[in-house]
Amino acid sequence: MASVIVRPVSALTQSDVLTPLVKAYAAGGVVREGRVKFDIAPLVDNGNSVPIEVTVESPMTQAQHVVGIAIFNEKNPQNQVAEFTLSPLAGRARVAARIRLALSQQLVAVAKMNDGSCWMQTVEVLVTIASCIEE
Amino acid sequence: MWRTSVATVMLFALMSLTQAQDARKSGFDFMRPATQALQMDDTQNPGMLWVKDGQMTWAQKDGAANKSCTDCHGDINRMRGVAARYPQYSLVAKRVINLGQQINQCRTTQQQAKVWPTEHPTFLGLEAAITMESRGQPVTPPSQPLLADAQKRGETLFNQRIGQVDLSCRDCHDSLAGKRLGGNTIPQAHPTGYPIYRLEWQSVGSLQRRLRGCMTAVRAEPYPYGSTELVDLEAYLAMRAAGMRLESPGVRP
Amino acid sequence: MTRALVTVPKTAKRGEIIEIRAVVQHPMETGYRRSSEGDLLPRDLIRKFSCRFVESGNANDTGAMVFAATLHAAIAANPYLSFNLRAASSGTLVFNWEGDNGFSHREQVAMTVA
């Protein structure tokens, strides 16, 4: 059994690992906090499958929509979790998935809008998981 | 008139008494909501991927006989209630066998194909697909003298202390059920969800794999797959869970 | 044989925002895990996923991109993805997964919009 405690982190305390990853994804666009809601199940039995959901405030019209969402983690050997490409056909800027979460760390979800601006939410997850000695 | 109502009241009292006394709980009840939600939703439960594989394999011709399961058994929904009876005594094998062994028996004697290797995904898929047809049905071991012997042997094994940790299955699953063990909650060891999708395995596995895992965890030498001891334990677990509802494909931590 | 489950409502009202779910059988082997014998299991990941919409009557068309994903090792085994679509017209949703060792899987589902 693992518990995951999730709390939002402000840009000021965002990990030095995440900030450059977010910048690179933004490719020069301005990155602000807000508009992005990053939900992670607070209590899980096993870090091998943790439900997450990212929703972004956007009308999802041709004129104004989210073109992409990226998720980065701070401490896994590889910082990229996933990059999603969205289109106005979606009607709603939302994606849900299941991820692996073995360590307490920060995670960030960044949404890129069609005007190049970016919005993000950073969360801190505290994970307590027992090690397993089984086959 | 009053007699019937008294009888009804007594019947209800008796029913709630037996329900209240039934302290048995599926492993499902010990899980966190996120894991329960995963089991309950067939559009997300990864076990359904194996079920789908099994359902498709059911209709595929195979072996020297070039026959499919459908050719002899018809639609898979005709298997309703079958999984709830296993393990049971087989007249063909002349011993008590579990559902997987029965499937392999049809593979070799009927299809004239090679047995599925232990924990082969398609084999587990067939077992899961057949078991899913009995979802919601109570576990009902038949009364057969040779099955009763297997249940007794299984009970002895269940009570026997094993491994360097020197604990019996009962020590953990009766006395310590509901308690935490290194971050896991100890369930009551009911076999109602098998084959299960286990998050730890990141795949579907059989009840025997689960039992072997418990043996390894207490540093005991696990009995080999297909051994009489494991089938005996399965037979005892089914008896111990008689009346509880099947929920395959279960999801477990 | 790889299996996938895709969940799309068979019918939808025009303008309705529907939810799409897709699960595919794949170990998403990270390359950091060891087998029970102690050997490092080689990395084996699904790298790309896409969902395209092909309008009825345009069968030769490759369709329009609804949603796509690039996945990494932190995605759970048997990847599950859920996203949305605003139902505009009847057609077919085409799902594609691609990964290491030539992994490729395709599913398609028809949807009627009234």
Side-chain angles (χ1 to χ4, degrees):
Chain A
M1 175 105 44
S3 36
V4 179
I5 299 169
V6 187
R7 59 185 176 91
V9 168
S10 83
L12 290 174
T13 50
Q14 190 183 59
S15 142
D16 300 347
V17 176
L18 295 180
T19 309
L21 293 163
V22 171
K23 269 215 181 98
Y25 181 72
V30 188
V31 188
R32 275 163 289 186
E33 273 179 76
R35 295 205 188 169
V36 174
K37 193 158 154 278
F38 191 177
D39 286 314
I40 301 183
L43 293 169
V44 296
D45 291 303
N46 188 297
N48 283 339
S49 177
V50 179
I52 60 158
E53 183 173 47
V54 180
T55 40
V56 188
E57 284 167 38
S58 163
M60 292 305 273
T61 56
Q62 282 297 339
Q64 221 185 324
H65 58 269
V66 177
V67 294
I69 298 174
I71 300 174
F72 301 104
N73 66 54
E74 184 192 356
K75 292 203 179 142
N76 288 7
Q78 195 189 8
N79 299 111
Q80 285 78 9
V81 176
E83 296 95 44
F84 305 107
T85 309
L86 281 77
S87 91
L89 292 183
R92 181 177 296 157
R94 168 192 161 270
V95 57
R98 291 177 185 275
I99 66 166
R100 293 173 165 142
L101 209 52
L103 298 166
S104 296
Q105 58 183 310
Q106 288 187 9
L107 286 147
V108 64
V110 199
K112 192 186 280 180
M113 309 299 181
N114 60 325
D115 65 5
S117 69
C118 286
W119 297 83
M120 69 173 173
Q121 185 178 22
T122 311
V123 293
E124 172 113 51
V125 292
L126 303 174
V127 187
T128 55
I129 302 181
S131 63
C132 189
I133 52 167
E134 280 183 58
E135 59 167 6
Chain B
M1 187 60 195
W2 66 270
R3 264 187 231 193
T4 39
S5 43
V6 167
T8 321
V9 168
M10 281 181 54
L11 188 69
F12 276 121
L14 206 68
M15 271 166 57
S16 50
L17 199 69
T18 46
Q19 267 163 15
Q21 275 176 347
D22 194 347
R24 292 180 306 173
K25 278 188 191 168
S26 157
F28 178 90
D29 299 316
F30 294 97
M31 309 191 308
R32 300 280 191 174
T35 319
Q36 291 184 338
L38 191 57
Q39 173 171 325
M40 296 297 283
D41 183 353
D42 283 346
T43 69
Q44 290 192 51
N45 181 345
M48 292 303 292
L49 296 163
W50 276 255
V51 167
K52 187 174 173 185
D53 193 9
Q55 287 167 340
M56 295 177 110
T57 307
W58 179 265
Q60 272 162 18
K61 294 191 188 295
D62 207 344
N66 195 32
K67 286 214 160 89
S68 69
C69 317
T70 315
D71 289 338
C72 294
H73 294 291
D75 193 282
I76 193 164
N77 66 22
R78 302 259 300 272
M79 286 279 137
R80 186 160 170 76
V82 170
R85 285 192 263 108
Y86 279 77
Q88 71 172 27
Y89 178 76
S90 158
L91 284 168
V92 176
K94 301 205 164 45
R95 63 189 169 100
V96 173
I97 58 173
N98 65 22
L99 183 58
Q101 289 169 321
Q102 170 65 59
I103 294 169
N104 260 334
Q105 182 163 292
C106 277
R107 275 283 289 174
T108 52
T109 62
Q110 308 290 346
Q111 290 183 314
Q112 292 159 40
K114 271 197 283 192
V115 291
W116 289 110
T118 305
E119 303 296 296
H120 188 285
T122 301
F123 178 43
L124 290 167
L126 263 175
E127 189 182 340
I130 292 171
T131 308
M132 204 176 86
E133 294 300 329
S134 300
R135 215 190 229 179
Q137 295 217 341
V139 177
T140 44
S143 42
Q144 300 166 321
L146 288 167
L147 177 61
D149 291 347
Q151 290 163 342
K152 267 193 219 104
R153 289 193 303 268
E155 182 168 15
T156 307
L157 292 171
F158 196 80
N159 294 334
Q160 181 181 298
R161 290 201 189 158
I162 53 166
Q164 286 171 25
V165 182
D166 201 30
L167 284 172
S168 70
C169 316
R170 190 173 303 285
D171 287 334
C172 277
H173 290 295
D174 265 3
S175 321
L176 298 173
K179 300 257 179 346
R180 296 284 199 85
L181 178 78
N184 292 317
T185 306
I186 304 177
Q188 295 177 354
H190 296 301
T192 47
Y194 288 78
I196 54 160
Y197 182 84
R198 189 159 178 236
L199 302 180
E200 189 56 43
W201 296 332
Q202 309 186 54
S203 120
V204 166
S206 69
L207 180 55
Q208 295 209 346
R209 181 171 179 193
R210 173 67 265 186
L211 303 185
R212 284 168 51 89
C214 277
M215 293 170 196
T216 310
V218 295
R219 307 197 192 284
E221 179 65 28
Y223 298 113
Y225 280 104
S227 61
T228 312
E229 287 87 352
L230 286 182
V231 178
D232 289 349
L233 270 171
E234 285 187 76
Y236 172 64
L237 290 177
M239 186 183 97
R240 192 166 159 268
M244 293 179 74
R245 302 200 177 269
L246 286 182
E247 47 180 296
S248 186
V251 174
R252 293 291 182 269
Chain C
M1 177 78 206
T2 302
R3 306 296 179 192
L5 302 167
V6 292
T7 310
V8 177
K10 280 202 176 62
T11 58
K13 282 205 273 301
R14 197 176 306 279
E16 187 188 342
I17 295 176
I18 60 160
E19 185 180 324
I20 297 172
R21 292 173 173 179
V23 196
V24 68
Q25 194 170 28
H26 196 284
M28 290 298 279
E29 206 52 74
T30 58
Y32 309 118
R33 239 168 39 118
R34 286 184 186 279
S35 73
S36 44
E37 283 80 46
D39 311 322
L40 209 55
L41 295 163
R43 171 167 289 200
D44 182 12
L45 297 172
I46 290 183
R47 306 279 180 167
K48 297 274 178 202
F49 167 80
S50 69
C51 170
R52 302 183 77 87
F53 177 72
V54 183
E55 213 176 326
S56 295
N58 287 357
N60 298 326
D61 197 353
T62 53
M65 182 70 78
V66 174
F67 176 88
T70 302
L71 308 180
H72 304 281
I75 293 292
N78 304 297
Y80 163 76
L81 290 169
S82 168
F83 47 92
N84 298 84
L85 170 70
R86 184 185 282 128
S89 54
S90 299
T92 306
L93 285 157
V94 182
F95 300 81
N96 256 303
W97 291 263
E98 269 164 45
D100 297 341
N101 308 311
F103 180 88
S104 163
H105 187 78
R106 183 190 155 100
E107 296 274 333
Q108 57 181 63
V109 182
M111 185 180 66
T112 309
V113 174

